[in-house]
Structure formats: C-alpha cells, structure tokens
C-alpha cells in the first residue's frame, strides 16, 4: 500500500488556502463595513451567507459527490475558492458593491465546505492505514497554520496602507 502523495498535497493546499481566505475575513470586516458605509447588521450577511452556502453543500453532498468524485470536486472547489476571493476583492472597486461581496461570500462558503469534505475523503483514502490519523491531523493543522498566520499578515497589510480589497485579489 503506497501513499498517494499527490492527493494528500492537493488536499493540504486546498485546506491551507481555504484557511487563508476564511481567516482574512475577520480582520478585514471593520474595513469592509467602513468602505461600504454599512452597519454591522447588514455587514453580518458577509458571514451568515457564507455559512448558508456551506450548509447547502453539506446537505447536498449525496447529490454532487457520487457524480463528481472527491478528486474532481476538490479541483473545482479549489478553483471556486480562488474565484470567490478575487470576486470579494473586486467587489470593493467602483463597478461593484456590497451585494456582489455578499454573493461571493455565499459562494466562498460553498467552496470552503466542499473543499473540507473532499480533502478529508482524499486524505483518508490516500494515506496508508498506519499513517491515516497523522495525515488527517496534519490536514487540519494546515487550517491552523493559516489561522495563525493570516491575521498577522492582514494587520501588517492594513497598517502599511494596504486596502482590504487588494488583500483578497
């Protein structure tokens, strides 16, 4: 039994990138509220619709996972993560607006949940049985590393004059 390192590394990259985007949203939230001149009640859609997107993907797993398979679905969700980060960033430019940010936030929830589901499946299948627990722990550590690093980066970015929208693009 060999380890399928390509599946494991792809899954690690997916979870790490998801963690970067997901954990950038919190430190950027005050800047987003100021930029769009909205209150926290309206701004909470930025997070709640992402959760709704994630919930819908979880509920519908039995529809899309058997048709696509975990590997093909993960590739799609990785693309969707990058597309939604770009979309959220671009929503802060003049041609877009808060509704577009909320739409891309919903799609990010879809991408994040799909990436999480597929990554766990692929790592569980790709790792030898004796290494499976460690591989899954390392997968979850990827999210933790992103969680620890991105707030520092965002804080530095904003203090050095960077704008929230360009940190996502």
């Amino acid at each position: 039994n060999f380890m399928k390192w390509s599946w494991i590394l792809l899954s690690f990259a997916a979870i790490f990138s998801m963690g970067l985007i997901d954990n950038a949203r919190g430190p950027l939230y005050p800047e987003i509220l100021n930029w769009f001149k909205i209150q926290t009640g309206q701004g909470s859609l930025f997070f709640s619709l992402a959760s709704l997107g994630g919930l819908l993907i979880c509920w519908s797993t039995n529809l899309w996972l058997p048709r696509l398979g975990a590997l093909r679905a993960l590739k799609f969700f990785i693309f969707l993560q990058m597309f939604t980060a770009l979309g959220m960033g671009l929503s802060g430019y003049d041609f877009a607006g808060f509704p577009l940010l909320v739409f891309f936030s919903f799609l990010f929830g879809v991408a994040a949940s799909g990436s999480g589901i597929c990554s766990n499946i692929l790592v569980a299948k790709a790792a030898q049985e004796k290494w499976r627990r460690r591989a899954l722990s390392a997968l979850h550590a990827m999210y933790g590393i992103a969680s620890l690093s991105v707030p520092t980066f965002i804080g530095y970015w904003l203090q050095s004059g960077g704008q929230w929208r360009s940190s996502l693009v």
Side-chain angles (χ1 to χ4, degrees):
N1 289 341
F2 290 101
M3 304 264 278
K4 291 187 179 179
W5 285 104
S6 61
W7 289 10
I8 293 171
L9 295 175
L10 182 66
S11 297
F12 282 18
I15 295 300
F16 184 75
S17 66
M18 185 234 319
L20 290 176
I21 300 165
D22 191 29
N23 289 289
R25 295 179 312 142
L28 295 174
Y29 183 62
E31 299 294 321
I32 290 169
L33 293 178
N34 289 334
W35 181 262
F36 290 112
K37 297 175 180 51
I38 56 175
Q39 299 298 315
T40 55
Q42 188 179 6
S44 68
L45 289 172
F46 180 56
F47 295 104
S48 59
L49 288 180
S51 297
L52 177 63
L55 185 62
L56 292 176
I57 278 297
C58 289
W59 279 345
S60 65
T61 301
N62 61 335
L63 299 175
W64 56 265
L65 186 59
R67 287 179 176 89
L68 296 174
L71 182 58
R72 189 175 328 148
L74 181 59
K75 291 175 183 179
F76 168 75
F77 289 126
I78 290 170
F79 168 78
L80 191 58
Q81 282 181 45
M82 299 307 115
F83 178 70
T84 59
L86 179 65
M88 285 188 281
L90 290 176
S91 71
Y93 290 88
D94 292 335
F95 63 88
F98 185 70
L100 193 62
L101 176 73
V102 170
F103 170 75
F104 280 112
S105 189
F106 172 82
L107 287 181
F108 173 71
V110 167
S113 288
S115 291
I117 291 166
C118 294
S119 293
N120 278 283
I121 291 169
L122 287 175
V123 168
K125 286 182 177 181
Q128 292 176 353
E129 188 175 339
K130 68 180 181 177
W131 296 104
R132 191 167 295 135
R133 280 187 174 166
R134 287 183 181 172
L136 287 166
S137 293
L139 176 69
H140 298 139
M142 291 295 104
Y143 187 87
I145 292 167
S147 298
L148 288 172
S149 60
V150 79
T152 303
F153 169 76
I154 294 295
Y156 177 76
W157 179 261
L158 295 174
Q159 284 183 342
S160 64
Q163 293 186 0
W164 71 268
R165 56 194 184 167
S166 56
S167 67
L168 291 168
V169 173

